């Protein structure tokens, strides 16, 4: 059966109330032939997201309605492997202690894109074997930083990596660590230097366009494409997630990016 993720906007909801609603969904799921796998809750933004196996959208709406009356605002069909890559799980997490309390995060994610400069020329410059070796070095340095700063690799793009983070602080710290790792490599191996650009955005998983993190992914990719090698650019929404850290953000003004109707404010991260 298809896998769906839905979005509920519930003003004034609490973690306890959302947990109770999930329990009510579980109680009634067999009646409708659905399986409520897990949920995420973002209290500041008043949004909850459910992951459900269901014959169709109408059936899961009916199940929600009978269980507690909170019918979702949007529903999209998703792939379990993609959900796990972005959000880190496709089932309820393990209770944190003997109380049985389940740690539920918000599903709001920072999205990072990296892009290797002149990747298509590497084979010409270095030959097949060395170019592949350098690409492996590139992958290892980024993945080492992702492990250290709690990033989930969503996919390898061929000349870069897309990753997600639970919060903007980790995403920006990871981006800085990546650029420092490449700078150290270039100092050690000036004849085999590698230069990457990094772009960051953030958003919720379910959007009206029907794609998981659709606009957040598109924006991070567009920002990355507009970034100079060895630099980091972030969207305003990422800048707003980092109020307490000692990063230096330099306002780069507004950019007109393909696919976005309004200009986008971006900031450079100095590292």
């Amino acid at each position: 059966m298809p896998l769906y993720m839905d979005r509920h906007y519930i003003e004034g909801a609490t973690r306890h109330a959302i947990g109770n609603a999930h329990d009510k969904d579980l109680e009634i799921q067999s009646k409708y032939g659905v399986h409520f796998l897990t949920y995420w809750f973002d209290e500041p933004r008043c949004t909850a997201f459910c992951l459900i196996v269901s014959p169709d959208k109408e059936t899961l709406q009916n199940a929600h309605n009978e269980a507690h009356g909170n019918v979702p605002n949007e529903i999209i069909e998703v792939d379990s492997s993609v959900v796990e890559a972005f959000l880190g799980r496709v089932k309820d997490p393990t209770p944190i202690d003997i109380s049985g309390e389940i740690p539920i995060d918000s599903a709001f994610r920072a999205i990072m894109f990296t892009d290797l400069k002149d990747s298509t020329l590497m084979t010409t410059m270095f030959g097949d074997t060395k170019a592949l070796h350098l690409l492996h070095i590139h992958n290892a340095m980024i993945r080492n930083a992702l492990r250290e700063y709690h990033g989930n690799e969503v996919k390898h793009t061929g000349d870069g990596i897309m990753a997600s983070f639970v919060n903007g602080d980790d995403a920006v710290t990871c981006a800085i660590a990546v650029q420092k790792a490449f700078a150290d490599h270039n100092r050690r191996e000036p004849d085999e230097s590698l230069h990457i650009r990094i772009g960051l955005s953030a958003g919720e998983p379910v959007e009206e366009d029907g794609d998981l993190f659709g606009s957040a992914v598109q924006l991070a990719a567009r920002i990355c494409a507009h970034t100079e090698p060895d630099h980091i650019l972030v969207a305003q929404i990422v800048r707003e997630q980092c109020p307490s850290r000692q990063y230096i953000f330099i306002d780069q003004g507004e950019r007109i990016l393909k696919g976005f109707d309004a200009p986008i404010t971006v900031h450079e991260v100095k590292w």
Side-chain angles (χ1 to χ4, degrees):
M1 285 196 294
L3 179 67
Y4 296 100
M5 177 172 281
D6 64 21
R7 176 183 184 272
H8 304 256
Y9 178 79
I10 311 172
E11 188 171 354
T14 64
R15 177 179 293 269
H16 179 69
I18 296 299
N20 284 342
H22 180 59
D23 290 341
K24 291 177 180 179
D25 285 330
L26 296 177
E27 290 172 3
I28 204 171
Q29 62 182 355
S30 60
K31 176 179 178 180
Y32 286 88
V34 302
H35 186 191
F36 288 94
L37 298 174
T38 190
Y39 70 99
W40 294 260
F41 177 50
D42 190 336
E43 188 166 354
R45 298 177 179 85
C46 302
T47 51
F49 304 89
C50 302
L51 190 65
I52 316 104
V53 176
S54 175
D56 51 51
K57 294 180 181 181
E58 183 179 6
T59 301
L60 76 85
Q61 286 180 310
N62 291 337
H64 269 319
N65 189 44
E66 181 172 340
H68 45 66
N70 293 321
V71 177
N73 301 92
E74 289 92 25
I75 305 170
I76 63 172
E77 188 170 349
V78 295
D79 180 272
S80 62
S81 62
V82 178
V83 173
E84 187 163 20
F86 274 111
L87 295 174
R89 60 185 174 87
V90 291
K91 59 182 180 180
D92 283 342
T94 303
I96 55 177
D97 53 39
I98 59 174
S99 71
E101 182 178 352
I102 295 175
I104 298 297
D105 64 285
S106 72
F108 190 89
R109 294 292 186 267
I111 307 297
M112 180 176 79
F113 269 85
T114 72
D115 178 66
L116 177 62
K117 178 188 175 184
D118 295 333
S119 60
T120 57
L121 297 178
M122 285 175 54
T123 299
T124 302
M125 295 166 59
F126 300 115
D128 290 339
T129 301
K130 191 169 185 178
L132 184 60
H133 172 67
L134 291 175
L135 184 60
H136 288 161
I137 292 175
H138 158 275
N139 295 344
M141 288 192 290
I142 295 175
R143 286 167 177 159
N144 286 342
L146 291 178
R147 282 192 294 271
E148 184 172 357
Y149 296 102
H150 317 295
N152 283 336
E153 181 176 338
V154 177
K155 70 175 181 179
H156 195 289
T157 63
D159 52 9
I161 285 176
M162 177 171 67
S164 72
F165 298 82
V166 171
N167 61 70
D169 271 344
D170 281 344
V172 173
T173 305
C174 182
I176 293 171
V178 168
Q179 289 292 17
K180 287 182 176 179
F182 276 82
D184 290 342
H185 167 81
N186 295 341
R187 281 191 291 269
R188 294 192 306 269
E189 305 290 345
D191 295 332
E192 300 177 357
S193 63
L194 300 169
H195 302 273
I196 67 167
R197 48 180 65 87
I198 301 177
L200 297 170
S201 185
E204 294 183 335
V206 178
E207 301 167 348
E208 293 181 2
D209 60 11
D211 292 328
L212 199 67
F213 290 99
S215 62
V217 168
Q218 185 183 17
L219 182 55
R222 296 298 186 199
I223 290 174
C224 183
H226 279 73
T227 305
E228 294 296 322
D230 305 321
H231 288 70
I232 304 165
L233 286 184
V234 306
Q236 176 68 25
I237 193 169
V238 176
R239 169 69 180 87
E240 292 169 356
Q241 283 196 294
C242 305
S244 62
R245 298 295 293 265
Q246 299 304 308
Y247 308 122
I248 299 175
F249 291 98
I250 300 176
D251 190 339
Q252 296 294 314
E254 295 181 336
R255 303 286 176 92
I256 304 297
L257 303 179
K258 183 179 179 181
F260 292 87
D261 296 332
I264 303 296
T265 299
V266 296
H267 301 266
E268 182 179 356
V269 181
K270 298 301 290 184
W271 54 273

